[in-house]
């Protein structure tokens, strides 16, 4: 490793002189492939996030999303999906991959590709799994082996259209420790697969602050990602899984106005009152969001890497459509202004681009407009090259 580092150190000035934008070999490949995943949607709750009452079985895999959903995604104007999958039920004690779930996941990827969409295969385990990774070296070793097995299985997939995201929202407290372990996973995958582009992120749930602490990998064929839900006071109002004081919050508007006294006084907790007051005085609107995302773009230029935002969205239940659409438009505009690809959260969940009611799936046209998508006419979907 030390010998390799010395070679890289002496070669770096030459490489940089040849290509000042991409000093790491392979980064030009990642930059080219990023053009295939510019505007996508997360396919959540299909192969991950099922909860205790829904088994990982053929019935769920075959009915939660169908080929009609994938066709609708393509017709709506997206160019890719981020297909979340829980690696834990795939990991058998003997180190092999569980065949039934793997077969169902393969079928889903086949359907996505057949509809002209590209796909990010996102390892999206539950929190206890990620917490074990943060403290247990045996779990870390097993996860590296899993990724080797999984990458080997997916080796047949076109690397221009299929991407591997190593871990959704890591829960490591130490950015340095996570960076070191993430690079171990990269090395493990590269031992069996030199072709596919890998998607990496920061510690502590992949927020933008943690992105800024990543030491870029020596491997250039990677795309970095971050998640953007700021301010959570607006995007997660009423969400039961977030901070407790957000659960009773209703009626917060976007963009923020300073005078939030009436809504603040209506909060049942002092934390909620303070949160609402802060929201008003923190000047949340396009200018703030655009400047924040501009810092992420600065990081890519400083490190000569490429970047995407794999999650952003607004919880639907307690936000007004006009406010939700304005926030989505502002974030999408800021990302595109800075050359950053995006994948909205999510397709049919609590943040959904579509609403499922009475057996029907209806596209939220306001969100489609906010995302500046260009829907295709029925029958216009074709497989990508």
């Amino acid at each position: 490793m030390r010998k390799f580092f010395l070679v890289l150190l002496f070669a770096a000035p030459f490489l940089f002189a040849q290509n000042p934008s991409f000093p790491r070999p392979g980064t030009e490949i990642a930059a080219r492939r990023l053009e295939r995943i510019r505007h996508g949607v997360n396919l959540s709750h299909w192969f991950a996030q099922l909860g205790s009452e829904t088994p990982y079985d053929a019935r769920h895999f075959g009915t939660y999303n169908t080929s009609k959903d994938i066709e609708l995604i393509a017709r709506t104007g997206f160019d890719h999906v981020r297909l979340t999958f829980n690696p834990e039920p795939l990991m058998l004690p003997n180190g092999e991959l569980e065949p039934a779930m793997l077969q169902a996941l393969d079928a889903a990827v086949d359907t996505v590709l057949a509809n002209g969409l590209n796909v990010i295969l996102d390892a999206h385990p539950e929190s206890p799994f990620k917490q074990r990774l943060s403290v247990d070296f045996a779990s870390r070793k097993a996860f590296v082996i899993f990724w080797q097995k999984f990458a080997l299985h997916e080796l047949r997939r076109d690397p221009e259209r299929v991407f591997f995201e190593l871990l959704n929202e890591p829960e490591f407290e130490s950015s340095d420790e996570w960076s070191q372990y993430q690079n171990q996973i990269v090395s493990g995958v590269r031992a069996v697969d030199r072709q596919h582009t890998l998607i990496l992120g920061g510690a502590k749930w992949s927020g933008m602050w943690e992105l800024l602490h990543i030491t870029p990998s020596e491997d250039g064929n990677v795309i970095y990602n971050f998640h953007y839900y700021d301010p959570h006071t607006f995007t997660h109002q009423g969400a039961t899984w977030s901070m407790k004081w957000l659960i009773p919050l209703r009626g917060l508007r976007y963009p923020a106005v300073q005078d939030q006294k009436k809504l603040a006084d209506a909060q049942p907790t002092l934390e909620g009152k303070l949160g609402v007051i802060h929201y008003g005085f923190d000047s949340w609107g396009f200018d703030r969001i655009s400047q924040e995302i501009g810092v992420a773009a600065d990081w890519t230029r400083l490190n000569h890497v490429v970047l995407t935002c794999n999650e952003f969205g607004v919880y639907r239940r307690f936000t007004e459509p006009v406010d939700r659409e304005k926030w989505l438009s502002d974030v999408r505009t800021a990302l595109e202004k800075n050359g950053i690809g995006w994948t909205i959260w999510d397709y049919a969940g609590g943040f959904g681009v579509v609403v499922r009611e009475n057996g029907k799936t209806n596209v939220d046209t306001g969100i489609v407009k906010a995302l500046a998508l260009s829907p295709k006419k029925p029958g216009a979907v074709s497989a990508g090259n």
Side-chain angles (χ1 to χ4, degrees), residues 174-195:
S174 167
S175 296
D176 289 340
E177 189 175 4
W178 163 243
S179 288
Q180 292 171 11
Y181 178 56
Q182 182 167 234
N183 287 332
Q184 290 176 26
I185 308 174
V186 171
S187 298
V189 173
R190 289 301 184 223
V192 299
D193 181 351
R194 304 291 299 178
Q195 302 303 315

Side-chain angles (χ1 to χ4, degrees), residues 156-205:
R156 62 190 173 90
R157 301 288 188 188
D158 184 353
E160 295 293 327
R161 301 187 61 200
V162 177
F163 301 74
F164 300 154
E165 184 170 342
L166 300 185
L167 184 64
N168 173 71
E169 296 190 350
E171 296 187 21
F172 281 61
E173 286 297 323
S174 167
S175 296
D176 289 340
E177 189 175 4
W178 163 243
S179 288
Q180 292 171 11
Y181 178 56
Q182 182 167 234
N183 287 332
Q184 290 176 26
I185 308 174
V186 171
S187 298
V189 173
R190 289 301 184 223
V192 299
D193 181 351
R194 304 291 299 178
Q195 302 303 315
H196 284 86
T197 298
L198 308 181
I199 297 181
L200 312 182
K204 298 181 184 176
W205 299 276

Side-chain angles (χ1 to χ4, degrees), residues 203-329:
K204 298 181 184 176
W205 299 276
S206 300
M208 187 188 297
W209 283 98
E210 293 305 316
L211 173 73
L212 306 181
H213 292 291
I214 293 177
T215 301
S217 171
E218 295 169 349
D219 191 305
N221 190 13
V222 299
I223 296 171
Y224 292 88
N225 100 93
F226 69 101
H227 295 177
Y228 195 86
Y229 291 102
D230 292 335
H232 273 67
T233 315
F234 171 72
T235 64
H236 283 65
Q237 57 185 301
T240 58
W241 64 91
S242 189
M243 293 170 284
K244 289 183 178 180
W245 60 266
L246 286 175
I247 297 175
L249 181 58
R250 310 281 190 276
L252 200 64
R253 307 299 301 270
Y254 175 87
V257 294
Q258 287 190 2
D259 185 8
Q260 297 286 347
K261 187 177 187 307
K262 184 176 180 180
L263 184 60
D265 288 343
Q267 298 310 302
T269 66
L270 292 178
E271 292 93 336
K273 182 175 182 177
L274 186 61
V276 171
I277 292 171
H278 270 253
Y279 174 75
F281 283 98
D282 282 349
S283 302
W284 281 106
F286 176 74
D287 288 343
R288 173 166 180 166
I289 288 173
S290 181
Q291 289 187 51
E292 285 197 357
I293 290 175
V295 174
D298 291 340
W299 181 83
T300 68
R301 288 186 286 270
L302 180 66
N303 291 284
H304 314 288
V305 295
V306 290
L307 181 65
T308 191
C309 176
N310 269 352
E311 288 188 24
F312 71 107
V314 181
Y315 186 47
R316 295 180 59 93
R317 189 174 178 185
F318 301 112
T319 52
E320 294 294 329
V322 64
D323 300 329
R324 182 166 64 244
E325 292 158 16
K326 175 60 176 169
W327 185 91
L328 289 170
S329 177

